[in-house]
Amino acid sequence: MNEINLGSDTINLGHGSGGLMTRALLDTIIFKAFDNPILNEKHDGSIVNIEGKIAISTDSFVVSPIFFKGGNIGELAVHGTVNDVAMCGAIPKYLSLAFIVEEGLKVEEFVTIVNSIRKAAEASGVSVITGDTKVVERGKGDKIFINTTGFGAVHPKACIASREIKVGDKIIINGNIAQHGMAIMSQREGLEFDSTIESDSTNLNFMVEALLDKFGHKIRLFRDPTRGGLASALSEIATDIEKGIVIHENQLPLEKQVAAACEILGLDPLYVANEGVLIAIVDATIEAEVIALMQKDTKGKNAVCIGEFTAEHPSKVVMHSLVGGKRIVTPLIGEQLPRIC
């Protein structure tokens, strides 16, 4: 912080004017953090070489609060977009990065967010190569919003598409559900309660790459159950391909404190957002191998098969409950947890 002198402890409208104050903000914080030959050209865009098919994903992040247990909006933006590109069966390589900053955001907070983005990008193996920064009047934002677009080459062995799913294919997830949503809720104004729950926000692209390297087209589909949670993601898939899904409640990995927090707030963990969880739909013959490979990674130590596809009850997800009954798992209607990512 001692090297940064923007003439103020907070971001103000002048920092978004396009003049000298904007240049100071970019040079002392953003260009310094994301130093690389492509960005350093300082064009209005960037020119890169990507061979073959490419995957592109854009996302906007408006999470509240912007700092939460286990992360902040900056690293969340990187992880969310890197994972979206990876879910396409691609290897993320580049990011664009756009900030919409509300007048009054503390410079120190902005620097912390930018540095978190830098660290998350480095850990994910991606470079920030272009972007934009805007400042809006106080009261017309909520501290900071971030938009990211990710680019990457599709893995040569990938054939990721819902149409590839067959009856009998297994549904595997890499870890505990509902961590991110409950970490956010534990810090929401008016809902704060004692909790050590941390967001599971992380990059999953290297796990995806390893799975594709080994199993190729036997991986039918990846999906990250972010907003709407596991229930909504599976319901969408079942509806799209008109096949049934069976999941088993006793197989769902759910940390005890997260389960307790959901119960306190009257929330179903199946609908709570995740940021470090992926769904892998795979050929039944590789189920055990996929789980074993995931479990070699700390991000997949709790990997488990939670269900399979069936010709019965097409377009519906049915859960076999702990007590022996069955229930239809419907997609989320409305917004259970607003501003969660």
Side-chain angles (χ1 to χ4, degrees):
M1 283 297 296
N2 292 334
E3 299 177 7
I4 297 170
N5 182 10
L6 298 182
S8 172
D9 291 334
T10 60
I11 306 293
N12 60 56
L13 291 175
H15 291 117
S17 67
L20 291 176
M21 292 179 68
T22 300
R23 186 68 186 200
L25 180 74
L26 295 176
D27 285 345
T28 60
I29 300 177
I30 296 174
F31 287 135
K32 184 177 179 181
F34 304 117
D35 178 46
N36 66 69
I38 299 172
L39 186 65
N40 290 345
E41 291 291 336
K42 299 182 181 178
H43 290 315
D44 282 340
S46 292
I47 301 170
V48 296
N49 290 319
I50 301 180
E51 296 182 3
K53 290 182 180 179
I54 65 170
I56 303 172
S57 181
T58 296
D59 209 345
S60 297
F61 297 85
V62 297
V63 65
S64 177
I66 60 174
F67 294 96
F68 46 83
K69 293 173 183 175
N72 62 57
I73 190 172
E75 61 189 42
L76 179 65
V78 175
H79 294 154
T81 301
V82 162
N83 290 346
D84 283 346
V85 173
M87 295 305 104
C88 298
I91 302 168
K93 189 170 184 180
Y94 300 117
L95 286 179
S96 74
L97 173 66
F99 297 107
I100 298 177
V101 183
E102 184 186 24
E103 178 186 19
L105 178 71
K106 293 179 180 178
V107 171
E108 183 178 6
E109 291 183 331
F110 185 62
V111 171
T112 298
I113 290 167
V114 168
N115 284 334
S116 292
I117 292 172
R118 174 182 56 79
K119 291 175 183 176
E122 290 174 354
S124 302
V126 298
S127 299
V128 174
I129 59 169
T130 189
D132 185 46
T133 301
K134 295 291 190 297
V135 181
V136 298
E137 294 92 338
R138 194 183 301 269
K140 292 191 176 180
D142 191 356
K143 294 189 176 181
I144 186 170
F145 299 149
I146 300 176
N147 175 271
T148 45
T149 300
F151 305 82
V154 175
H155 193 289
K157 292 185 179 180
C159 186
I160 303 299
S162 58
R163 64 179 176 273
E164 299 293 324
I165 297 172
K166 298 174 174 57
V167 169
D169 283 350
K170 298 297 182 177
I171 302 165
I172 297 171
I173 60 176
N174 65 300
N176 295 342
I177 63 172
Q179 294 278 145
H180 177 71
M182 297 318 300
I184 300 296
M185 293 304 288
S186 71
Q187 292 181 243
R188 282 277 169 87
E189 186 177 355
L191 287 175
E192 289 191 19
F193 54 89
D194 290 335
S195 167
T196 60
I197 300 169
E198 291 190 354
S199 170
D200 63 343
S201 178
T202 193
N203 64 299
L204 299 169
N205 52 310
F206 296 123
M207 180 184 292
V208 167
E209 186 175 356
L211 289 168
L212 290 171
D213 283 344
K214 185 168 184 178
F215 302 111
H217 68 277
K218 289 189 176 182
I219 305 289
R220 316 290 197 207
L221 191 73
F222 291 115
R223 190 65 57 88
D224 55 345
T226 51
R227 285 179 300 171
L230 186 64
S232 294
L234 292 178
S235 295
E236 287 174 3
I237 297 168
T239 299
D240 288 345
I241 66 172
E242 297 182 344
K243 288 183 173 67
I245 291 176
V246 172
I247 59 174
H248 307 278
E249 188 175 13
N250 64 351
Q251 290 296 103
L252 294 176
L254 181 64
E255 200 270 331
K256 289 182 180 180
Q257 192 176 20
V258 173
C262 287
E263 187 172 352
I264 289 169
L265 296 177
L267 300 173
D268 186 334
L270 284 174
Y271 296 93
V272 177
N274 310 276
E275 288 293 345
V277 173
L278 67 79
I279 300 167
I281 298 168
V282 309
D283 186 294
T285 61
I286 61 170
E287 173 192 344
E289 292 178 89
V290 168
I291 292 172
L293 191 153
M294 285 183 173
Q295 289 177 345
K296 290 180 181 178
D297 189 320
T298 57
K299 299 170 185 179
K301 63 183 180 180
N302 294 314
V304 66
C305 178
I306 63 167
E308 57 276 329
F309 282 79
T310 176
E312 299 177 11
H313 51 78
S315 300
K316 291 183 173 60
V317 179
V318 173
M319 184 168 74
H320 292 203
S321 71
L322 291 172
V323 295
K326 298 179 182 179
R327 80 172 225 217
I328 294 176
V329 177
T330 60
L332 180 65
I333 299 173
E335 185 68 85
Q336 183 185 32
L337 302 175
R339 303 283 302 282
I340 212 75
C341 60

